[in-house]
Amino acid sequence: EVQLVESGGGLVQPGGSLRLSCAASGFSFSDYWMHWVRQAPGKGPVWVSRVNSDGSSTTYADSVKGRFTISRDNAKNTLYLQMNSLRAEDTAVYYCARSQWLPDDAFNMWGQGTMVTVSS
Amino acid sequence: EIVLTQSPVTLSLSPGERATLSCRASQSVRSNHLTWYQQKPGQAPRLLIYGASRRATDIPDRFSGSGSGTDFTLTISRLEPEDFAVYYCQQYGSSPQTFGQGTKVEIK
């Protein structure tokens, strides 16, 4: 089955860290740019970060630059998001998503999302 | 960054009616790189339209997209019960790619 499955979300205190994972299956993971997109409750989605097909190029939204790190392991078909120095405003559902073709492109595949709550 | 403003915020219609959703960009969207997504409660967004007017795989032809530059429209020709949801536009012509705040299509 062609799918993306996120894991690793949970409740964390402000200033804490969390590592999200996204397991891909059913397609050639190493061929695609991959992204993290987050969505706060009741709000629209917000792009967070992207990584190229071999993991050598990464880009971040200004709001997470210096705190979050995106990476991938193509041998394990897995995408990661290391989140440090978490803030209340990072609270959201985090989705991994696949670019259609280009680095910036329509997202034609999404995971089911994992909830991250930053609160004391 | 490009700000996308969607209108209306809520659209109250009956099944069988036509829905017209608007997405306006704060500056021109390069190459009409504009998408539309549908999202139902507790689910991830689902790609409907990319490149402003191209239907994604397996999307029914009652969904159509149009527009260019700064003004884009998603039209649902005849609403089916499963179409009541929130719709988001996204531009990917300029970095960072950005999303609108959504239009909720609800049953009247």
Side-chain angles (χ1 to χ4, degrees):
Chain A
E1 184 181 1
V2 180
Q3 62 178 358
L4 297 168
V5 179
E6 300 95 337
S7 59
L11 174 64
V12 61
Q13 292 187 339
S17 298
L18 216 51
R19 188 198 198 199
L20 306 183
S21 299
C22 169
S25 59
F27 67 98
S28 183
F29 178 71
S30 60
D31 286 345
Y32 292 90
W33 286 75
M34 295 296 298
H35 301 248
W36 287 100
V37 177
R38 68 186 180 184
Q39 187 172 28
K43 303 293 186 181
V46 175
W47 174 80
V48 172
S49 182
R50 72 176 187 216
V51 61
N52 69 341
S53 57
D54 67 9
S56 62
S57 175
T58 59
T59 312
Y60 300 92
D62 286 346
S63 59
V64 307
K65 201 173 296 183
R67 300 188 298 123
F68 290 11
T69 302
I70 189 172
S71 62
R72 65 192 296 163
D73 185 336
N74 286 344
K76 296 182 178 179
N77 289 336
T78 303
L79 176 72
Y80 302 101
L81 186 68
Q82 177 67 44
M83 303 186 296
N84 298 331
S85 303
L86 282 161
R87 307 166 180 166
E89 54 265 35
D90 296 319
T91 294
V93 175
Y94 284 72
Y95 296 99
C96 60
R98 188 184 79 178
S99 262
Q100 194 156 235
W101 298 295
L102 303 174
D104 283 329
D105 206 335
F107 299 134
N108 61 359
M109 184 183 296
W110 297 67
Q112 86 289 351
T114 187
M115 183 70 204
V116 172
T117 303
V118 184
S119 175
S120 55
Chain B
E1 70 179 44
I2 294 179
V3 176
L4 300 178
T5 302
Q6 293 187 240
S7 61
V9 172
T10 304
L11 197 52
S12 298
L13 295 168
S14 301
E17 290 194 293
R18 182 184 186 90
T20 303
L21 288 66
S22 172
C23 177
R24 178 162 291 177
S26 60
Q27 52 188 284
S28 185
V29 177
R30 184 179 64 87
S31 301
N32 291 334
H33 284 172
L34 192 287
T35 68
W36 290 93
Y37 298 92
Q38 176 193 70
Q39 188 176 34
K40 297 180 179 179
Q43 296 184 16
R46 172 196 179 198
L47 178 64
L48 299 176
I49 301 288
Y50 66 95
S53 60
R54 302 181 180 187
R55 268 188 303 276
T57 303
D58 295 330
I59 300 304
D61 60 8
R62 64 180 181 273
F63 290 93
S64 63
S66 62
S68 64
T70 60
D71 290 297
F72 299 88
T73 300
L74 174 69
T75 301
I76 310 171
S77 59
R78 285 175 290 103
L79 282 164
E80 297 287 341
E82 61 269 27
D83 298 337
F84 292 92
V86 180
Y87 292 83
Y88 294 99
C89 58
Q90 172 213 12
Q91 69 79 25
Y92 55 97
S94 301
S95 291
Q97 49 193 297
T98 50
F99 291 82
Q101 84 285 4
T103 289
K104 181 179 182 181
V105 179
E106 65 176 21
I107 299 177
K108 186 175 181 181

